[in-house]
Amino acid sequence: MYAKFVLLVVICILSVMKKVLLIVVFLISSIGFARNNYIVKTEDSRRVLLKSDFTWEYIDLEKPVEEALKPESPEQVLESSDTNACNLEADFKEPELDKGLQMQLKKGRATIEDIKRKVAKDNDCEEADVILLSASESKAKGLYNFCANGKKVSYKRTGLTVVKNRSFLQF
């Protein structure tokens, strides 16, 4: 009778251990699936792995080199630098923005003048060299296209924070 009791206790312990082992394996495997790693493409066509622990690494170690884009003469250098030029008309006027909205943004230093100051600082030019090409804004967010120092740049505003608009392609 004592042997039957010991056998019953061992069977109960084994069944509990199976359940505990199953739960532990499930938790460990779910941790592995919980990580979100993303692959993005930079402006120079290199792929970057963004890891969930806030680190990153290049997948493509070398920059892709296209023979057709290599400039061979100074004339080609000048022509290729004009692809992102503003090419404004002589009578170009900056678009008018909503004055009421600009008054609300004044409290957080996110008016168009503040954004132009940031664009000028980021592009190493004077504030007078920054021209607003187009704008789309609301109280919560805004998208602004500028001509800064002869080059087109785009900035976005979320709330009162203004950053350069960079688009990464995810695939």
Side-chain angles (χ1 to χ4, degrees), residues 112-145:
I112 193 65
E113 289 83 16
D114 297 319
I115 298 172
K116 280 186 174 184
R117 204 171 300 124
K118 178 173 179 53
V119 172
K121 183 180 176 185
D122 289 351
N123 291 286
D124 295 326
C125 63
E126 297 294 321
E127 195 174 333
D129 296 335
V130 177
I131 301 169
L132 178 65
L133 300 175
S134 64
S136 168
E137 67 178 358
S138 66
K139 187 175 179 180
K141 61 183 177 180
L143 183 62
Y144 308 93
N145 294 314

Side-chain angles (χ1 to χ4, degrees), residues 48-170:
V48 176
L49 176 64
L50 302 176
K51 298 179 183 179
S52 60
D53 60 352
F54 303 108
T55 60
W56 60 274
E57 66 182 51
Y58 284 112
I59 294 174
D60 303 326
L61 294 178
E62 297 179 13
K63 283 186 180 180
V65 178
E66 296 180 22
E67 296 297 323
L69 295 179
K70 283 186 177 178
E72 296 177 6
S73 66
E75 292 83 21
Q76 288 180 339
V77 172
L78 291 175
E79 289 174 8
S80 65
S81 65
D82 290 342
T83 58
N84 200 21
C86 297
N87 298 329
L88 298 176
E89 298 173 7
D91 60 343
F92 179 80
K93 291 183 181 178
E94 290 186 351
E96 292 288 326
L97 299 177
D98 184 19
K99 293 187 187 296
L101 181 61
Q102 289 295 308
M103 290 297 288
Q104 290 177 352
L105 294 173
K106 190 173 187 177
K107 296 174 187 172
R109 296 187 192 147
T111 63
I112 193 65
E113 289 83 16
D114 297 319
I115 298 172
K116 280 186 174 184
R117 204 171 300 124
K118 178 173 179 53
V119 172
K121 183 180 176 185
D122 289 351
N123 291 286
D124 295 326
C125 63
E126 297 294 321
E127 195 174 333
D129 296 335
V130 177
I131 301 169
L132 178 65
L133 300 175
S134 64
S136 168
E137 67 178 358
S138 66
K139 187 175 179 180
K141 61 183 177 180
L143 183 62
Y144 308 93
N145 294 314
F146 294 99
C147 178
N149 213 10
K151 187 171 82 170
K152 290 181 185 176
V153 290
S154 180
Y155 280 74
K156 66 180 177 181
R157 176 182 54 80
T158 305
L160 301 174
T161 306
V162 179
V163 294
K164 190 169 187 175
N165 191 14
R166 297 186 178 152
S167 60
F168 286 115
L169 301 175
Q170 183 178 349

